[in-house]
Amino acid sequence: MYKNLRWKLLSIAAVFVVFFAVGVYPMLGAHFHLPVPEALQSRALKLGLDLKGGVELRMRVNTDDALKTTTTSTAEALRASLATSNITPMINVTSPMTFRVEGVPQDRDSQFRTASDEVTATDYDRNPLPAGTYEFKMKPNIERDQREQAVDQTMQTIDRRVNELGVVEPSIARQSNNEELLIQLPGVSDVAHAKEIIGKTAQLEFKLVEAGPASKEDLLKQYNGNLPGDLEILPGSGGDATGAFYVVKKIAPVTGSDLRVAKPGLDENNQPAVHFELKPAGAPKFGKLSGENIGRYLAIALDNKIISAPRLDGRITDQGRISGGFTAESANDLALTLRSGALPASLTSLEENVVGPSLGADSIRAGVLASLVGLMLILGFMLVYYKLSGINAAVALIFNLVILLGLMAYLGATMTLPGIAGFVLTMGVGVDSNVLIFERIKEEIAAQRGVRAAINAGFSRVLMTLLDTHVASLIAAAFLFQFGTGPIRGFATTLSIGLFVNLFTSIFVSKTLYDFELSRRQVPALSI
């Protein structure tokens, strides 16, 4: 028995030391300027937006952009399919969900229907109109799925971008309106830079230049005012493309989705530029595009603005460079956004809030003060009401505190103000557990049991009650975590971890302390 007790004490001491080192010592080191090993610094408990300060943005995803991209691609695919059969009607995108085909020859109507069935049947409804005109409208279920996917992809892209920014524990959650996002960036103070990085669509496209650079009016004159349906005019932006317009192909053979790596660097004039490498699937496409068009100009378009339009002097396969009057910072930002991928839809900023570090420090101070005052009052009550057994409860409660902080730091959880509320609630649950055990022990002593028998009975008979209450609380916390957002999840996380820790301290640690005391001497009466 004594051997088992020794191992129990050593185990408890080891757990205390480990979690004190992980959860408490880094905070003490930061406050009192103590040396903290790097391994422990990286594990230090992270603070949320409400404690650390940072930026909170509310943005709407313009899902119509994603629908319009799909509709335009489908219209162009139908145009290409009809061209192989020498059918060349007018095709115009009339809304994000619809496009119209006009001028289908009556004698080619059957061929047109066959071609359109192959391209659009699964996603669009075809409505015939007079005079060889057809309207194609996206099916409701496809529209719903496309909007859902656009929001999901936007959240994933924003998450990659803020991670590239080095933001720790960002929170990106949907609001009640399914197309609105709440983005919390702890530790970020530059709102404008954060919005620029998050909100840039970063749709990179490589398109062949048909005409330009020139003014928009001069370019239209070259086509007698009617631009062919497969061409478009894009403005220049930056570097050699500033102030000019270009006529380019609508469909881009190579896009940003074909990039494998994008990183800032320098061009041949030692000016900031972005170097990129293509994925294995993108390299052959770029090689074919460049090899078949040597001597022509290739527009590099970002978000429908041409950054540069270099001449193709040879076949390019798996890597290239984007130059365009960048600064070192803008080249770095562009490389970051290209690496994280393009947004499927643009974002509209609805609201922005900045939580200053001073407010965060005030929150921390108030939260810590409230926790300490609560802890002192609880310990005082336990010592007064349960006498020497109250010391047992106090030790178990301090163990609870240290292990909870250590586990949260080890698991990478983020401490928020609601998390502190969960923290205080956990201490209350810990006290409740000890009260239940002590009251049961007092009942056993009143029934004329010996001290050791009363303690054993007290713990064993309360065990199922404690398990019932803790499991019920864990189920509630699980629902809060599943259906809640940032602050609610912080509360649920702290509460869940605290409940597990409380079972360990109130049953195992507290019982071991009693066993240790009884092993040292004969106790005729228990101070409780």
Side-chain angles (χ1 to χ4, degrees), residues 336-348:
L336 184 156
T337 51
L338 292 178
R339 282 197 303 273
S340 58
L343 291 175
S346 61
L347 295 170
T348 299

Side-chain angles (χ1 to χ4, degrees), residues 40-317:
L40 294 181
Q41 287 182 16
S42 63
R43 286 284 183 189
L45 190 61
K46 301 175 184 64
L47 302 179
L49 181 71
D50 49 1
L51 297 180
K52 189 175 183 179
V55 175
E56 182 178 84
L57 304 171
R58 193 162 64 87
M59 294 182 142
R60 183 177 62 239
V61 182
N62 301 314
T63 54
D64 277 358
D65 293 349
L67 298 183
K68 188 173 183 180
T69 299
T70 302
T71 300
T72 302
S73 299
T74 305
E76 291 304 317
L78 178 59
R79 186 198 305 279
S81 176
L82 294 174
T84 60
S85 303
N86 292 322
I87 304 174
T88 56
M90 290 282 290
I91 301 179
N92 293 306
V93 175
T94 52
S95 80
M97 288 84 73
T98 60
F99 65 93
R100 180 172 288 203
V101 181
E102 300 177 68
V104 177
Q106 192 171 4
D107 59 335
R108 309 294 297 276
D109 189 71
S110 176
Q111 280 181 277
F112 169 76
R113 286 170 177 267
T114 302
S116 65
D117 283 345
E118 293 175 354
V119 176
T120 67
T122 57
D123 295 344
Y124 288 80
D125 292 321
R126 184 181 62 211
N127 302 311
L129 299 173
T133 300
Y134 289 87
E135 185 178 72
F136 292 81
K137 184 177 176 68
M138 188 178 287
K139 294 178 178 177
N141 62 317
I142 301 298
E143 178 187 343
R144 186 175 58 251
D145 292 345
Q146 289 269 328
R147 291 189 190 277
E148 188 75 14
Q149 288 174 15
V151 177
D152 286 342
Q153 290 175 15
T154 299
M155 292 177 69
Q156 293 168 7
T157 302
I158 292 175
D159 187 55
R160 287 195 295 271
R161 289 184 182 182
V162 295
N163 281 327
E164 290 266 4
L165 278 173
V167 177
V168 177
E169 295 296 325
S171 172
I172 304 164
R174 290 189 180 193
Q175 294 291 85
S176 53
N177 180 330
N178 214 26
E179 296 183 358
E180 289 183 10
L181 302 178
L182 182 65
I183 304 164
Q184 294 182 330
L185 307 175
V188 172
S189 57
D190 191 341
V191 183
H193 188 231
K195 284 175 64 178
E196 184 182 357
I197 293 293
I198 291 173
K200 184 177 287 185
T201 306
Q203 182 64 54
L204 181 69
E205 297 173 301
F206 297 89
K207 299 182 173 184
L208 282 172
V209 175
E210 296 294 324
S215 68
K216 198 170 184 178
E217 293 74 17
D218 289 342
L219 291 175
L220 284 173
K221 283 180 184 175
Q222 295 181 32
Y223 295 91
N224 297 320
N226 291 317
L227 206 63
D230 61 337
L231 302 180
E232 63 181 345
I233 296 178
L234 294 183
S237 173
D240 56 341
T242 301
F245 287 84
Y246 295 79
V247 176
V248 297
K249 290 280 189 184
K250 271 187 180 177
I251 300 298
V254 181
T255 67
S257 63
D258 294 309
L259 296 189
R260 185 174 68 85
V261 174
K263 55 186 178 184
L266 298 174
D267 62 13
E268 69 275 12
N269 299 316
N270 283 330
Q271 295 300 310
V274 177
H275 296 259
F276 63 86
E277 294 180 16
L278 294 166
K279 296 175 183 175
K285 290 192 288 185
F286 204 88
K288 184 173 185 294
L289 173 68
S290 57
E292 293 178 351
N293 295 283
I294 292 175
R296 296 185 62 181
Y297 290 90
L298 181 68
I300 302 173
L302 182 70
D303 294 343
N304 288 325
K305 291 182 180 178
I306 294 177
I307 298 175
S308 63
R311 176 189 165 100
L312 291 168
D313 292 325
R315 187 170 180 271
I316 304 171
T317 54

Side-chain angles (χ1 to χ4, degrees), residues 34 131 186 260 344 358 470:
L34 301 174
R260 185 174 68 85
S358 59
H470 281 64

